[in-house]
Every structure is written in C-alpha cells, then in structure tokens.
C-alpha cells in the first residue's frame, strides 16, 4: 500500500458493518477517493491475511470496510476477485455481507455473473442465498431486469434436485416479488414436491392469501412449536419445553426493513430469528 492513509479507518468499527444503508458510513465523506482504489483492493483481498491476523480488533475489519468503500466508489475492478473470495469466507458473515453490499452497488453491470453464481449447484448454499438477496435489491433499484430474472428463478425452481428448504424459500419469495401470481402453478408444484422453509415467508396458503388467490386458510398455520415437537429427536425435550405456541400481535416487519430494536441493521441480520 503506497498512498492510502490508514488513519482514515481509525474511526470505523465492527458495529458499522452489516447495517442498513441509512446507518452504513458514508465513506466518501470520510475522505476515501478514487485514487485510493488500488490500495483498497489490496486491503479488501488481504491475500497475506495481514489484517485478518491482526491483534488490533479494528484492523480485523479493515477488509470489510474496504469492500464497502469500493462499492460506494462504484469500481468494477475487483468484482470477479470478490465474488470468488466469498467461497473462501463462507462462514464469515461480516466479510460475505460486505461483499453483498459491494455487489448491490455495482452488480447490475455484471448481472450475468450473479445469475451464474446463483445457479451453480457447487457453490455454498448460504452464499447462493446471499446472491438471491443481492438480486432482490438490484431488482428493486432497476426493474428492467425483470424478464431475465424471472427466467433464472424459474430455471432454478424447475430443477427437481434443488432440495435445500431455505434456498427454495428465498427463491419463491423473490419470484413472487418479481412476478406476483404469474408462476403460481410452479410454486404449488415446488411446495408439493420439494422442501420449503415455511418459517421464512409463510407456506403456500400464506402466499396465496397475499396474492388474493384465496380468502382464508383451510389448514392451521404452521408454528415453530409444532415443528420442533414433530422433530423432537433432532431438538431434544429441553427445546420443546422452552417453546410455546406464539401468536403474532404486532405488525409484520419486512426482512429488509431496519430492525425495530434500533441497531441500524436489517431486521433479517438482527432480531428476526431471536
């Protein structure tokens, strides 16, 4: 690193990461500029793990901040390296979330790369979910990708060997967001023949009600209590004793909304599953 002043990072903390756009630092106002890009790429990739192995807790997160800065600077130069890098850091939520932030900023320019990553069965399931969330945000910014995004999501859902319940739920949610009830028959087929995490965005009846395809439920709404009880061998009696049927009494908070606890993080990254 030849030019960058690392003192610019001194005001940044771990708590500045994994937050909604509103609470993410404005790195440009903090003095980061285009002339810093080469140094920022070196920090973001940190191939020698200089920062990851630092004894200074702040320095450990410099690569994550560098990635987000590169996103705000809208540079495509490290795109391929960063999307490949999350394969090596799949268990590091801070790093992968920083890459997701970067991809949301510049991913439209390389949308085909994101589609290919998502459809690649060899990739880590949680990273594929991460890319689905990135695609959701990009679509929210630019609906011109609607037709090609539909095709990619439908291609995935038609695969009979895609059996991860979480990823299936993510994809169904995004397809409904993009296309409403256009592919409801395909969605019904998926619910009938493949596992879907109903605690992510509801079961088929919930979706049909939201789409105006039915007025009310015909079956009891799934509950986490019943799920754990039916799978007690996986959870143990203590887990069952700690749970009781729960009824929603407050307005639903969207996964991408700021968490009501005031942390500044997205609800899905904070209290959603607590």
């Amino acid at each position: 690193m030849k030019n960058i002043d690392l003192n610019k990072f001194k005001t940044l903390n771990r708590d500045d990461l994994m937050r909604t756009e509103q609470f993410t630092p404005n790195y440009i106002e903090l003095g980061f500029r285009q002339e810093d890009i080469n140094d920022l790429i070196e920090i973001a990739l940190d191939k020698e793990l200089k920062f990851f192995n630092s004894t200074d807790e702040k320095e450990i997160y410099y690569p994550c901040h560098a990635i987000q800065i590169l996103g705000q600077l809208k540079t495509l130069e490290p795109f391929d390296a960063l999307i490949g890098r999350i394969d090596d850091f799949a268990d590091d939520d801070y790093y992968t979330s920083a890459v997701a932030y970067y991809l949301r900023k510049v991913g439209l320019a390389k949308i085909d790369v994101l589609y290919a990553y998502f459809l690649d069965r060899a990739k880590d399931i949680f990273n594929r979910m991460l890319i689905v969330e990135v695609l959701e945000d990009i679509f929210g910014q630019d609906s011109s990708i609607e037709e090609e995004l539909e095709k990619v999501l439908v291609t995935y859902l038609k695969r009979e060997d895609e059996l991860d319940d979480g990823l299936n739920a993510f994809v169904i949610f995004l397809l409904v967001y993009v296309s409403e009830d256009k592919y409801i028959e395909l969605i019904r087929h998926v619910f009938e023949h493949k596992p879907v995490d109903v605690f992510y965005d509801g079961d088929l009846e919930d979706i049909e009600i939201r789409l105006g395809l039915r007025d009310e439920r015909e079956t009891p709404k799934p509950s986490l209590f019943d799920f754990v009880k039916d799978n007690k061998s996986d959870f143990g009696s203590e887990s069952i004793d700690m749970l009781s049927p729960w009824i929603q009494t407050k307005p639903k908070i969207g996964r991408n909304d700021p968490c009501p606890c005031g942390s500044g993080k997205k609800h899905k990254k904070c209290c959603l599953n607590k």
Side-chain angles (χ1 to χ4, degrees):
M1 286 166 285
K2 299 177 180 178
N3 303 310
I4 198 165
D5 179 6
L6 290 179
N7 286 323
K8 293 180 182 178
F9 285 87
K10 294 297 184 183
T11 61
L12 302 172
N13 298 290
R14 179 184 65 180
D15 291 343
D16 293 320
L17 300 167
M18 295 178 65
R19 295 166 74 84
T20 60
E21 185 71 28
Q22 178 185 358
F23 291 95
T24 300
N26 185 323
Y27 297 101
I28 310 304
E29 289 184 354
L30 293 175
F32 293 96
R33 299 287 182 265
Q34 293 289 328
E35 54 264 31
D36 297 324
I37 284 177
N38 289 336
D39 289 331
L40 289 166
I41 291 173
E42 184 177 341
I43 296 170
L45 298 180
D46 193 18
K47 292 179 180 178
E48 297 179 356
L49 300 182
K50 171 183 176 180
F51 296 103
F52 282 108
N53 292 329
S54 173
T55 57
D56 183 331
E57 184 176 340
K58 281 193 173 184
E59 287 190 356
I60 293 172
Y61 296 98
Y62 283 7
C64 300
H65 288 294
I67 293 167
Q68 296 193 162
I69 296 166
L70 290 165
Q72 289 189 8
L73 291 172
K74 306 259 193 242
T75 177
L76 283 171
E77 187 175 343
F79 184 97
D80 292 335
L82 286 175
I83 198 169
R85 191 93 164 140
I86 60 173
D87 294 333
D88 300 323
F89 288 83
D91 295 328
D92 187 332
D93 287 345
Y94 285 97
Y95 195 89
T96 55
S97 291
V99 174
Y101 179 90
Y102 168 81
L103 295 176
R104 290 183 181 99
K105 293 292 186 182
V106 304
L108 183 61
K110 288 205 170 188
I111 196 75
D112 288 343
V113 178
L114 298 182
Y115 293 151
Y117 189 104
F118 157 61
L119 289 173
D120 188 345
R121 295 176 177 88
K123 298 299 185 184
D124 177 83
I125 285 292
F126 292 103
N127 280 344
R128 294 174 76 189
M129 291 181 186
L130 191 79
I131 297 302
V132 173
E133 292 189 323
V134 169
L135 292 171
E136 176 190 341
D137 285 348
I138 291 175
F139 174 74
Q141 301 165 31
D142 190 336
S143 61
S144 68
I145 69 169
E146 177 179 337
E147 184 175 349
E148 59 185 8
L149 180 56
E150 276 186 5
K151 289 179 181 178
V152 170
L153 298 174
V154 168
T155 295
Y156 168 87
L157 288 178
K158 285 183 175 180
R159 292 174 172 177
E160 296 301 329
D161 60 342
E162 295 282 11
L163 300 177
D164 185 85
D165 62 342
L167 185 53
N168 287 340
F170 271 51
V171 175
I172 288 172
F173 169 82
L174 182 52
L175 185 59
V176 171
Y177 175 48
V178 173
S179 307
E180 297 186 340
D181 64 353
K182 182 177 178 180
Y183 294 99
I184 190 61
E185 291 304 324
L186 174 59
I187 291 170
R188 287 169 176 158
H189 175 85
V190 173
F191 270 99
E192 182 177 355
H193 297 282
K194 296 197 287 185
V196 180
D197 181 358
V198 299
F199 299 107
Y200 177 73
D201 195 54
D203 65 359
L204 179 60
E205 290 188 33
D206 289 324
I207 292 172
E208 290 177 339
I209 289 171
R210 286 200 300 274
L211 289 172
L213 301 177
R214 66 165 62 235
D215 293 326
E216 57 186 22
R217 296 189 62 88
E218 294 181 4
T219 62
K221 189 175 180 64
S223 74
L224 184 58
F225 175 78
D226 291 330
F227 176 77
V228 174
K229 184 173 65 175
D230 293 341
N231 295 273
K232 56 185 177 182
S233 62
D234 295 328
F235 293 92
S237 58
E238 290 185 3
S239 297
I240 297 173
D241 292 339
M242 291 172 64
L243 289 170
S244 60
W246 176 80
I247 299 174
Q248 174 75 31
T249 58
K250 298 180 180 179
K252 183 177 180 181
I253 302 163
R255 283 173 299 281
N256 290 318
D257 292 339
C259 192
C261 76
S263 67
K265 298 179 182 180
K266 289 187 177 182
H267 187 42
K268 66 190 175 191
K269 292 290 186 182
C270 192
C271 296
L272 176 61
N273 296 313
K274 292 182 180 180

